[in-house]
Amino acid sequence: MTTPKTPSVSSKFSFADSDITFKSSDSVLFHVHRKNLDVCTEGFPPAGISTDGSIVELTETSDTLELLFRFVYPERHPGLDTTPFEVLAPLAEAAEKYQVFPAMNICHIRLRDMAEEHPVEVAVYASKHDYPSLICEVAPMMIAMPAETVMEILPAHLVLPWTRYVEEWANVLHSALIPPEGWLASHRDNAKATAFGAYQAPATACSWPYYVIYCLQRLGVGVTSLCSLDDVFDMTTPPANRPTIDDCCQRALVNWRRQIEEAITQIPKFSDFA
């Protein structure tokens, strides 16, 4: 039979005059003052738990609670500037769970800064805790996620707006599947003319059709491809058995990508649909 672990006491939260004690999931005790909780939180102590002198057990680890309780005392609060995501995410969840208002705000700001590296987790957090502006910021990153995953993340009232938002991206993709017509003109500009102004065809076969097919295949995976245009227009691994790409074809590819990027910037924000 396993012997229960003897609880240790937090070195920072061991006030002798405390009137409430919390126990972390890894058996660390936190002796804190109820008045601080009353002023700075709305969810402490958790509803339905007796605080008649007994120890209140919480599901969070001691590392999370150590940070969380610092936000309910009159001291300089943690800036969280260098806090890794693995520490910040559970802190943000605890702040929302217990409504620790000073911590909620800074966690929201820091998670927004980390959205590009952790779009799925931040999207879950934003939708779960009703941060519509953050959902709007993460929305373009969520385009790259499988539709099933997004539907599982979003609350019911945002599913229809999301569908309309994705439709705008689909319209951009539809236009992107039509290569720019100006590539022929670029060929003419690149070709040499005789002294009499007669047009001379390029000496080598045109590589444009090969690269069109190559890019279309990548765009053909769907709207997610619009989030990885570097991959779509990556010519470091070109099609086999194609002519060497010339300057005018390269310019046409650049122009094609530029048109797609410009169209993406014209997509309304997700908040316009919500």
Side-chain angles (χ1 to χ4, degrees):
M1 185 175 182
T2 304
T3 303
K5 181 180 178 180
T6 302
S8 58
V9 178
S10 166
S11 59
K12 185 170 183 60
F13 298 98
S14 56
F15 301 106
D17 61 344
S18 70
D19 49 7
I20 188 168
T21 300
F22 295 99
K23 181 181 177 182
S24 67
S25 60
D26 51 349
S27 298
V28 176
L29 300 179
F30 293 81
H31 301 293
V32 298
H33 299 95
R34 184 187 300 273
K35 63 182 180 180
N36 294 78
L37 302 178
D38 291 340
V39 170
C40 298
T41 79
E42 194 173 282
F44 265 127
I49 295 180
S50 173
T51 58
D52 56 357
S54 60
I55 296 175
V56 179
E57 297 191 11
L58 303 178
T59 59
E60 289 73 25
T61 67
S62 56
D63 288 340
T64 296
L65 295 179
E66 189 85 25
L67 274 173
L68 187 66
F69 285 132
R70 289 179 60 185
F71 285 94
V72 302
Y73 278 85
E75 61 178 36
R76 177 171 291 184
H77 294 161
L80 307 180
D81 300 87
T82 59
T83 304
F85 183 82
E86 294 70 22
V87 176
L88 181 64
L91 174 63
E93 282 297 323
E96 295 289 338
K97 178 180 178 181
Y98 302 119
Q99 295 288 280
V100 182
F101 301 115
M104 289 166 61
N105 187 52
I106 187 61
C107 286
H108 166 249
I109 293 172
R110 290 294 296 123
L111 284 175
R112 182 184 61 199
D113 295 339
M114 296 183 174
E116 189 170 348
E117 293 80 18
H118 304 276
V120 176
E121 295 89 342
V122 173
V124 172
Y125 161 84
S127 60
K128 180 179 178 181
H129 301 298
D130 192 25
Y131 287 106
S133 62
L134 184 53
I135 294 178
C136 289
E137 292 188 40
V138 181
M141 306 171 201
M142 293 169 64
I143 288 292
M145 297 163 53
E148 298 80 3
T149 302
V150 175
M151 292 303 179
E152 292 174 357
I153 290 173
L154 292 175
H157 71 280
L158 290 180
V159 171
L160 182 57
W162 176 257
T163 302
R164 293 170 176 166
Y165 179 67
V166 173
E167 185 176 354
E168 292 292 327
W169 282 80
N171 291 336
V172 170
L173 178 63
H174 182 267
S175 298
L177 293 174
I178 305 174
E181 297 179 358
W183 73 275
L184 283 174
S186 69
H187 260 289
R188 286 193 292 270
D189 293 340
N190 191 57
K192 301 295 184 181
T194 66
F196 301 98
Y199 173 73
Q200 290 183 336
T204 59
C206 174
S207 58
W208 180 246
Y210 293 87
Y211 285 104
V212 168
I213 294 172
Y214 198 51
C215 293
L216 288 178
Q217 288 175 337
R218 294 176 172 182
L219 289 169
V221 302
V223 294
T224 59
S225 64
L226 298 178
C227 298
S228 54
L229 292 180
D230 285 344
D231 295 332
V232 171
F233 291 96
D234 177 19
M235 294 300 129
T236 58
T237 55
N241 303 318
R242 55 86 178 125
T244 302
I245 189 168
D246 46 33
D247 291 342
C248 53
C249 289
Q250 186 64 57
R251 287 198 300 272
L253 289 173
V254 171
N255 183 45
W256 189 3
R257 174 172 179 165
R258 185 181 297 117
Q259 289 184 15
I260 296 173
E261 291 174 334
E262 175 61 26
I264 290 175
T265 64
Q266 301 303 313
I267 294 176
K269 293 183 179 180
F270 180 58
S271 56
D272 293 342
F273 302 91

